[in-house]
Amino acid sequence: MTSLNDALLLRIAEALERLAPPPADRLSLDGADAFVWHPGPPARLDPVPHVARVELTLLKGVERQKAILMENTLRFAAGFTANNAMLWGARGTGKSSLVKAAHAAANEAHPGALVLLEIQREDIRTLPDLLNVLRLQSRRVLVFCDDLSFEREDADYKALKSVLDGGIEGRPANVLFYATSNRRHLMPRDMIENEKSTAINPAEAVEEKVSLSDRFGLWIGFHNTDQDTFFAMIEGYAEAMALPIETEALRRAAVEWSVTRGGRSGRVAWQFIQDMAGRLGVKL
C-alpha cells in the first residue's frame, strides 16, 4: 500500500511540475537583439530575428526628436544612466520608427549591447513580472510599448506608475522604458475634464491623472508634417530605393496620394513609396 501511495504522489508531483511555468531564470536574452514579451503562463521571451524598421537617415522632419532620443539611447547603450522616454503626438509621424531605428543605430555603435523588448499594451500590468526577469540579465534592455494610452485608472495604469517610480526595489539599472502615444498625458481629454467636474478637489484629481506622464524623464513631441517635409521624406525614400522617376513627377504623384489619404505624415509617405515602387516594378 505504501509503495502505491508513493507512486501516486510521484505522479502528482510530476504532473504539477509540467503545469508550472518555468522559473524566471530560465528566460534568456541570448541569440537575438530583439524580443517580444509573452506573460503566459508560461512566461516567455520570443526572439525577433529581423525587426521591421527603416534606417535612421531616412526619417525626415524629426531632426530635433532624433537627436534627443539618439543621445539618450547611445548613453544608455554605453553603460551610463539615461531617462525613460515618451514619444507623443500626431499619428504616423515616425514615433515607433524612431525608437526602432535608434535601437539599431545604438547597436551599430555598441555591438550587441542593447536589446529591444516589446511589451503589448494589454500586458502592461505584467511589467513588474517582466522586470523581475530582466534583473537577472546581463544585457541592457529597452522595454518598448507602442501606442500606449489608458481609458480609465485601472491595474495597468498603477503597474506602469509603480515601475516608472521604481517602487521599493527600484527600476533595474539595465532597463529603460520607451513608449509612444497619440496623447500627451496618456488619457483622453474628456476623462481629465470629467475629473475636474466631479472631484472634491479638481486640481488634485487632474494632477493625479497627468502625473504618470511626468514620470518619464523625456517628453518628445511629434507634430503634423508640412509639404516641404513631406517632399523631403518621399525624395529620401525614392533615392534610397533607386526609384526611376523624376523629382517633379514624384512630387505630383505624392501630392495626389496625400490628398486621397487626407493628410501628410511619415506613414503616408512610406505607403506612397511602396505603391510607387510597385508601379515602377522595383522590389523593396
Side-chain angles (χ1 to χ4, degrees), residues 11 28 73 79 113 124 128 130-131 140 176 179 189 196 259:
R11 289 175 59 189
S28 172
T73 308
I124 284 293
L130 175 58
L131 292 192
R140 303 211 129 205
L176 212 57
R189 182 178 296 275
K196 286 184 179 179
V259 170

Side-chain angles (χ1 to χ4, degrees), residues 68-250:
I68 293 172
L69 194 70
M70 274 308 308
E71 194 277 333
N72 195 65
T73 308
L74 285 170
R75 192 192 325 146
F76 181 63
F80 299 103
T81 55
N83 274 304
N84 298 314
M86 184 175 74
L87 289 67
W88 66 273
R91 295 188 302 273
T93 48
K95 298 183 293 295
S96 60
S97 294
L98 181 54
V99 171
K100 291 182 283 188
H103 165 254
N107 266 353
E108 288 180 7
H110 305 278
L114 196 57
V115 171
L116 182 65
L117 199 162
E118 185 175 35
I119 182 171
Q120 302 299 325
R121 158 66 185 85
E122 57 270 21
D123 295 327
I124 284 293
R125 70 184 61 195
T126 68
L127 260 176
D129 297 329
L130 175 58
L131 292 192
N132 285 336
V133 171
L134 299 181
R135 288 179 196 278
L136 306 174
Q137 308 295 328
S138 59
R139 300 179 71 186
R140 303 211 129 205
V141 185
L142 280 180
V143 177
F144 172 50
C145 185
D146 193 21
D147 198 20
L148 179 63
S149 63
F150 299 97
E151 298 303 325
R152 63 191 185 282
E153 186 176 348
D154 53 16
D156 299 352
Y157 176 94
K158 292 181 180 296
L160 179 57
K161 188 174 178 181
S162 175
V163 166
L164 295 176
D165 280 341
I168 191 171
E169 292 182 291
R171 172 169 56 85
N174 66 323
V175 175
L176 212 57
F177 189 80
Y178 283 4
T180 69
S181 179
N182 296 331
R183 301 168 179 166
R184 184 175 184 180
H185 293 301
L186 300 177
M187 293 187 175
R189 182 178 296 275
D190 59 352
M191 179 176 174
I192 295 176
E193 293 300 325
N194 183 60
E195 289 290 339
K196 286 184 179 179
S197 63
T198 60
I200 295 175
N201 190 325
E204 287 185 1
V206 173
E207 177 65 24
E208 173 66 19
K209 296 304 179 191
V210 303
S211 64
L212 181 60
S213 298
D214 290 339
R215 285 164 169 78
F216 288 89
L218 292 179
W219 281 9
I220 305 177
F222 290 70
H223 309 287
N224 291 319
T225 305
D226 60 30
Q227 183 159 288
D228 288 342
T229 302
F230 185 66
F231 285 158
M233 290 175 180
I234 62 166
E235 289 166 19
Y237 284 139
E239 182 180 357
M241 311 303 176
L243 298 186
I245 184 173
E246 293 183 355
T247 299
E248 287 306 313
L250 182 71

